[in-house]
C-alpha cells in the first residue's frame, strides 16, 4: 500500500461510517417521539427540565446513567418514591438523611413548591421513557432489595433495644422532629419484628412476604375491587388494616398464608402506638 | 526554536500549566467529598468542584493543543506564523473566556449539561477563538506553500472539533434528543477528531525524535485515521444504549466500539515500530518518554479499559458507576494530557535558558510519579467501581449504603492522586524554573539532513 492508497482508505472509511451514521440518525428521529412519549412533554415537564439544569443536578446525580457518581441515579426514582416523599425530601434533605452517618448530604436547594412539582413531573416523564429496560435491577437510594444484606450478621443476631444498634450504617437515627414519612421509614426496619425482615421495597422482589413496592396504587385498586374481603374503605385504610389485622384480607399464595390465616405476625396492634402506625402508613403510602 | 514566532507557544504552554495545576486542586476537593462529611457543603458543594475540575481539564488541554500547533506548524511549513499578534489576541480572549466561566461556575452559572456547562456567550467565544486559530494557521500554511500530511491531519482534527462543537450550541426540548447530540460533541471529540490531533502530534514527534522516514510515517498515519473513524463514528452508539433511542443502536454500538481499540493498537505499534527501525535521532529522551508513554497509556486507558465496559451486556451493569470514572481518567490522561506534555517537553529546551536537551532529573521524576499516580488512581476507581457494581447493581444494596462500604477505595484514591499531584507539581516547577529564551537557533531540520530522503509529496499551494 502506498501513501495515496492509504489516503483513499482513510477517506472511504470515514465516508462510509459517516453516511451510515447519518441515515440511522434520521431514522432515530422518526422514532424519538414514540420512544420518549413526546406528547407527554407538557409545560410542567419542560419547566422541570429547566429546574434540573439550573440547579446543576447532573453534576452529582446520574439520569439515564449519565452524570456524576456522587449521588444516586434518578432515572426511575418516581417509580420508587411517591410524590409526597419527593416533595418533602426536596424541601429539606437534611430531614431524611444525616451527614454524620451517611457522610454525604444533598445540600438544600433553593426551590419553590412549584419548582419541585415541575421537577417531579420531569422526573416522572424520564422514568417512562422506553430505555431498553435499564436499569436491569432497581437502583435503591438506601436499604436493600434483599433485607438484611445491609446489616452485619452480628447486628442481625442481636437486635438490641438500643435504637440505633439494629440499624445498618446507612440508616440514620431519627428524632421526633423529623418528617412522619422519614419516621415511618425508620420504623419499617426497627419495629420488632422488623417489617423489612419479610418485605422488600424493591419492585418484583418477593420474599417471605410480597414486595411493598407500589403498595399505594395496588391498595387503591384492591379496595375498589370485588375480590377484596376486608372492611377498609380506601387505600390508606387498607394499609392500616394489613398492619393491624393481617388476616382481614389474604394475598393469594401458599407461601403467604394457610387456612385463611396470614403468616404475618399479628402483634403490631399491641406493640405499636397509634402514632407509630400512622407513621408507618404514611411511609408505605409513598411507595408507588 | 527555528522561527521567532514559535515563541507564542511558550505562553500557551504556560497558561496550560497553571490551569492543569488548578484542575487537580478541584479534583482533590471532589475526591475528599466522596469521603465526607463536607465542611464546604454550602460554600463549594461537589457539583461545583466537579464542574470546575472537568472544565479546567478541557480548557487546559485545548490550550495545549493550540500552543503545540503554533509550535509545530512553523517547523512543518518552514515559515514564520502569519500573525503573531492575532495569536496573542486569541490567547487573551481564550483566557478571559476560561476564567470568567470558572468564576461563573462558582455561582452555578452554567447550562447544567455534563461537560458542556459553558454558558452560551462563552460557547460563542469558544467558536470565535477556534476560527481565529484556524485562520491564522491556515494563512501561515498558505503563505509558505508547504503543507505536509502531518499538518493536514492535525488541522482537519482541529477544524472538525470546532464543527462538532456546534450541536452543543443548540437547544433541545426533548431530554433524550439533547443526550443524543451531546455525544456528537463529546464522543466524536475524544474518540474521533481529537485522536487525529493526537495522531498528528505523534507523527511529528516520532519523525523528529526518531528520524523515521516521513513517507512511511505519514502513510501509516492515514491508516490510523481511517481505523479511528471507521470504528469511532458508529461507536458513538455505545452511549446510546439506555437513553431512550431505538434498539438497533445496541448491537451497532457494541460491534463498532469494540473495534475502536484497533486504531489505538495501531498507534502504539506505530510509535514502537518507528523507534525500533530508526533508533534515536534526537537527544531529548524525556520527550521520547512522554511520546511513547502517551501511545501506550492510551492503549491501556482508552483501548483496554474502554473495551472492558463497552459491550451492552456489560455496560448494562456498569453504566453510570465509578467504572466510568476509572476509564475516563486513564483515557483522557494517556491520550490528551500526555501528548500535550510530550509536545511541551520536546519544545521546552529550545525555549528556555540552560536546560539540558536530554531532559532534567526533575523532569524524569515528574514523568514517573505521574505515571505511578495515575495508574494508582485508575486502580482505585476500578476497585471502588467493581464493589459498587456488585453491591449496588447486582445485589441491590442501596446507593448510600454501598458508598459507605467502599470508603477504603476513596482513601486509596486520595493517596494515589496526591502522588500524581506531586508529579504534576514537579512538571510545573520544571517548566517555570528556567527563564524563557526566544532566540532563533539553527537546529537541523530532520527533513533537511543530508541522508533524509526528499519529500516528493508536499503539495505546493498557490
Ligand atoms: C489529583 C488528581 C485527580 C483527582 C483527585 C480527580 C478526581 C475526580 C473526581 C472525584 C471526579 C468526579 C467523578 C464523579 O463524577 O463522581 C473526577 C472527574 C473527572 N476527572 Fe478527575 N481527578 C484528578 C485528575 C484528573 C486528570 C489528570 C484528568 C485527565 C487528564 C481527569 C479527568 C477527569 C474526567 C474526564 C472526569 C469526568 C469523569 C466522568 O464523568 O466519567 N481528572 N475526577
Ligand atoms: C482517548 C480516548 C477516550 C477518552 C478520552 C475517553 C473518555 C471517556 C469519558 C470522559 C467518558 C465519560 C463520559 C460521560 O459519561 O460523560 C467515557 C465513557 C465511555 N467510554 Fe470512553 N474514552 C476514550 C475511548 C474509549 C474507547 C476506545 C472505548 C471502547 C472501546 C470507550 C468506551 C466508553 C464507554 C462504553 C463509555 C460509557 C460508560 C458508561 O456507560 O457510563 N472509550 N469515555
Ligand atoms: Fe465514547
Amino acid at each position: 500500500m502506498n501513501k495515496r492508497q492509504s489516503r483513499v482508505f482513510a477517506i472511504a472509511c470515514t465516508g462510509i461510517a459517516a453516511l451510515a451514521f447519518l441515515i440511522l440518525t434520521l431514522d432515530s428521529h422518526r422514532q424519538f417521539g414514540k420512544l420518549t412519549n413526546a406528547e407527554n412533554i407538557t409545560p410542567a415537564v419542560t419547566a422541570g427540565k429547566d429546574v434540573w439544569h439550573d440547579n446543576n443536578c447532573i453534576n452529582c446525580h446520574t439520569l439515564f446513567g449519565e452524570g456524576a457518581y456522587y449521588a444516586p441515579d434518578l432515572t426511575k426514582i418516581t417509580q420508587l418514591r411517591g410524590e409526597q416523599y419527593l416533595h418533602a425530601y426536596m424541601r429539606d434533605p437534611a430531614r431524611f438523611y444525616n451527614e454524620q452517618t451517611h457522610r454525604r448530604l444533598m445540600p438544600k436547594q433553593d426551590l419553590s413548591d412549584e419548582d419541585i412539582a415541575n421537577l417531579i413531573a420531569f422526573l416522572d416523564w424520564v422514568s417512562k421513557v422506553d430505555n431498553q429496560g435499564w436499569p436491569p435491577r432497581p437502583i435503591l437510594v438506601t436499604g436493600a432489595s434483599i433485607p438484611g444484606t445491609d446489616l452485619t450478621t452480628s447486628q442481625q443476631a442481636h437486635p438490641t433495644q438500643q435504637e440505633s444498634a439494629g440499624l445498618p450504617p446507612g440508616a440514620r437515627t431519627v428524632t421526633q422532629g423529623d418528617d412522619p414519612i422519614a419516621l415511618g421509614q425508620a420504623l419499617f426496619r426497627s419495629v420488632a419484628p422488623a417489617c423489612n425482615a419479610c418485605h422488600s421495597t424493591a419492585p418484583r422482589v418477593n420474599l417471605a412476604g410480597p414486595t411493598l413496592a407500589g403498595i399505594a396504587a395496588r391498595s387503591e385498586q384492591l379496595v375498589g375491587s370485588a375480590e377484596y374481603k376486608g372492611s377498609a374503605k380506601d387505600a390508606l385504610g387498607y394499609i392500616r388494616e394489613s398492619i393491624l389485622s393481617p388476616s382481614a384480607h389474604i394475598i393469594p399464595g401458599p407461601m403467604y398464608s394457610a387456612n385463611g390465616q396470614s403468616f404475618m405476625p399479628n402483634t403490631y396492634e399491641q406493640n405499636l402506638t397509634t402514632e407509630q402506625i400512622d407513621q408507618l402508613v404514611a411511609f408505605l403510602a409513598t411507595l408507588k | 526554536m527555528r522561527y521567532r514566532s514559535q515563541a507564542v507557544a511558550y505562553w500557551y504552554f504556560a497558561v496550560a500549566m497553571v490551569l492543569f495545576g488548578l484542575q487537580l486542586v478541584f479534583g482533590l476537593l471532589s475526591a475528599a467529598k466522596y469521603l465526607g462529611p463536607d465542611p464546604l457543603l454550602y460554600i463549594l458543594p461537589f457539583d461545583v468542584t466537579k464542574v470546575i475540575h472537568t472544565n479546567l481539564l478541557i480548557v487546559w488541554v485545548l490550550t495545549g493543543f493550540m500552543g503545540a500547533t503554533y509550535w509545530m506548524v512553523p517547523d512543518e511549513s518552514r515559515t514564520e506564523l502569519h500573525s503573531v499578534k492575532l495569536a496573542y489576541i486569541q490567547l487573551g480572549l481564550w483566557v478571559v473566556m476560561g476564567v470568567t466561566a470558572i468564576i461563573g461556575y462558582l455561582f452555578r452559572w452554567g447550562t447544567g449539561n455534563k461537560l458542556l456547562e459553558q454558558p452560551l456567550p462563552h460557547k460563542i467565544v469558544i467558536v470565535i477563538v477556534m476560527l481565529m486559530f484556524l485562520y491564522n494557521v491556515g494563512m501561515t500554511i498558505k503563505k509558505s506553500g508547504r503543507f505536509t500530511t502531518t499538518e493536514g491531519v492535525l488541522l482537519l482534527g482541529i477544524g472538525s472539533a470546532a464543527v462538532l462543537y456546534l450541536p452543543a450550541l443548540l437547544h433541545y426540548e426533548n431530554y433524550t434528543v439533547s443526550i443524543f447530540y451531546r455525544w456528537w460533541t463529546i464522543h466524536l471529540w475524544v474518540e474521533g477528531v481529537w485522536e487525529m490531533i493526537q495522531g498528528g502530534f505523534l507523527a511529528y514527534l516520532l519523525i523528529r525524535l526518531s528520524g523515521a522516514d516521513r513517507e512511511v510515517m505519514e502513510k501509516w498515519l492515514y491508516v490510523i485515521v481511517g481505523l479511528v473513524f471507521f470504528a469511532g463514528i458508529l461507536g458513538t452508539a455505545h452511549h446510546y444504549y439506555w437513553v431512550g433511542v431505538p434498539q438497533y443502536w445496541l448491537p451497532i454500538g457494541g460491534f463498532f466500539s469494540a473495534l475502536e481499540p484497533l486504531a489505538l493498537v495501531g498507534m502504539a505499534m506505530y510509535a514502537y515500530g518507528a523507534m525500533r527501525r530508526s533508533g534515536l535521532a534526537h537527544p531529548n529522551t524525556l520527550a521520547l518518554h512522554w511520546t511513547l508513554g502517551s501511545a501506550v497509556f492510551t492503549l491501556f486507558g482508552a483501548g483496554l479499559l474502554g473495551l472492558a465496559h463497552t459491550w451492552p451486556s456489560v455496560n448494562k451493569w456498569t453504566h453510570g458507576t465509578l467504572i466510568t470514572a476509572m476509564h475516563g481518567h486513564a483515557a483522557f490522561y494517556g491520550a490528551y494530557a500526555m501528548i500535550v506534555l510530550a509536545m511541551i517537553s520536546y519544545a521546552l529546551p529550545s525555549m528556555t535558558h540552560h536546560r539540558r536537551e536530554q531532559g532534567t532529573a526533575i523532569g524524569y521524576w515528574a514523568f514517573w510519579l505521574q505515571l505511578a499516580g495515575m495508574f494508582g488512581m485508575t486502580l482505585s476507581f476500578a476497585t471502588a467501581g467493581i464493589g459498587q457494581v456488585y453491591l449496588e447493581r447486582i445485589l441491590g444494596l442501596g446507593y448510600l449504603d454501598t458508598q459507605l462500604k467502599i470508603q477504603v477505595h476513596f482513601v486509596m484514591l486520595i493517596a494515589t492522586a496526591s502522588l500524581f499531584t506531586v508529579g504534576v507539581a514537579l512538571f510545573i516547577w520544571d517548566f517555570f524554573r528556567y527563564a524563557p529564551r526566544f532566540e532563533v537557533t539553527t537546529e537541523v531540520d530532520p527533513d533537511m539532513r543530508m541522508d533524509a530522503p526528499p519529500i516528493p509529496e508536499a503539495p505546493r499551494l498557490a
Side-chain angles (χ1 to χ4, degrees), chain B residues 17-308:
Chain B
M17 287 292 95
V18 173
L19 299 181
F20 188 14
L22 263 181
Q23 186 216 344
L24 300 191
V25 172
F26 284 90
L28 284 169
L29 274 173
S30 308
K33 290 163 194 289
Y34 277 165
L35 272 182
D38 181 9
L40 304 178
L41 191 63
Y42 283 99
I43 304 164
L44 208 57
F46 180 87
D47 65 295
V48 174
T49 57
K50 194 226 148 185
V51 169
I52 296 180
H53 175 61
T54 50
N55 275 261
L56 279 171
L57 166 68
I58 299 173
V59 175
W60 87 254
V61 164
L62 284 173
T63 315
F65 283 173
M66 294 190 283
T69 307
Y70 278 141
W71 170 267
M72 178 182 133
V73 166
D75 261 1
E76 287 284 295
S77 286
R78 299 186 193 144
T79 183
E80 296 289 350
L81 286 178
H82 170 66
S83 166
V84 171
K85 198 167 138 206
L86 188 63
Y88 283 123
I89 296 175
Q90 179 203 335
L91 179 61
L93 201 58
W94 180 249
V95 169
V96 170
M97 185 286 300
V99 170
T100 52
I102 300 303
I103 293 175
Y105 294 146
L106 290 174
F107 301 97
R108 284 245 182 108
W109 190 43
T111 64
N113 193 6
K114 184 178 179 185
L115 298 176
L116 300 175
E117 290 93 354
Q118 311 80 29
L120 191 59
H122 291 75
K123 287 200 170 104
I124 292 169
V125 173
I126 291 173
V127 173
I128 292 172
V129 166
M130 285 293 195
L131 292 178
M132 288 166 74
F133 177 55
L134 287 166
Y135 171 78
N136 205 359
V137 172
M139 288 304 288
T140 306
I141 292 171
K142 183 149 181 272
K143 258 187 3 199
S144 82
R146 193 183 128 89
F147 187 37
T148 66
T149 297
T150 306
E151 265 176 338
V153 167
L154 175 67
L155 282 196
L156 209 59
I158 294 171
S160 320
V163 171
L164 286 169
Y165 190 62
L166 297 180
L169 272 74
L170 303 177
H171 175 81
Y172 309 91
E173 200 59 23
N174 187 322
Y175 196 78
T176 290
V177 178
S178 100
I179 290 179
F180 190 88
Y181 287 108
R182 186 173 85 89
W183 292 113
W184 282 37
T185 304
I186 305 300
H187 169 94
L188 290 176
W189 268 7
V190 301
E191 288 158 70
V193 297
W194 283 25
E195 279 179 24
M196 281 179 94
I197 299 174
Q198 187 196 12
F201 289 143
L202 202 62
Y204 167 83
L205 286 166
L206 290 171
I207 291 169
R208 304 271 148 173
L209 292 170
S210 77
D213 176 27
R214 181 178 279 272
E215 270 306 283
V216 176
M217 294 309 282
E218 294 187 337
K219 177 176 88 183
W220 287 109
L221 183 58
Y222 274 134
V223 174
I224 289 172
V225 169
L227 290 176
V228 163
F229 286 114
F230 182 69
I233 293 178
L234 286 163
T236 312
H238 67 181
H239 303 288
Y240 290 169
Y241 297 155
W242 326 113
V243 298
V245 300
Q247 186 99 28
Y248 52 67
W249 289 111
L250 266 74
I252 292 174
F255 180 76
F256 285 94
S257 67
L259 291 180
E260 282 182 41
L262 266 185
L264 305 177
V265 171
M267 235 188 272
M269 279 169 48
Y270 178 69
Y272 182 72
M275 297 314 309
R276 265 202 52 170
R277 268 199 317 277
S278 318
L280 255 188
H282 195 280
N284 194 337
T285 46
L286 182 59
L288 182 72
H289 275 68
W290 283 109
T291 307
L292 293 183
S294 175
V296 172
F297 215 93
T298 305
L299 183 58
F300 165 68
L304 188 68
L305 298 183
L307 190 64

Side-chain angles (χ1 to χ4, degrees), chain A residues 59-60 67-71, chain B residues 20 23-32 34 46 50 53-54 57 60-61 114-115 321-322 324-326 328-334 336-337 374 377 381 413-414 416-418 420-421 424:
Chain A
N59 277 305
C60 286
Y69 319 116
Y70 183 73
Chain B
F20 188 14
Q23 186 216 344
L24 300 191
V25 172
F26 284 90
L28 284 169
L29 274 173
S30 308
Y34 277 165
F46 180 87
K50 194 226 148 185
H53 175 61
T54 50
L57 166 68
W60 87 254
V61 164
K114 184 178 179 185
L115 298 176
T321 64
L322 290 160
T324 310
M326 155 199 86
H329 279 86
F332 238 108
Y333 179 70
Y336 304 124
M374 184 47 79
M377 286 170 59
F381 274 123
L413 174 66
I414 293 173
T416 49
S418 305
F420 177 77
T421 306
V424 174

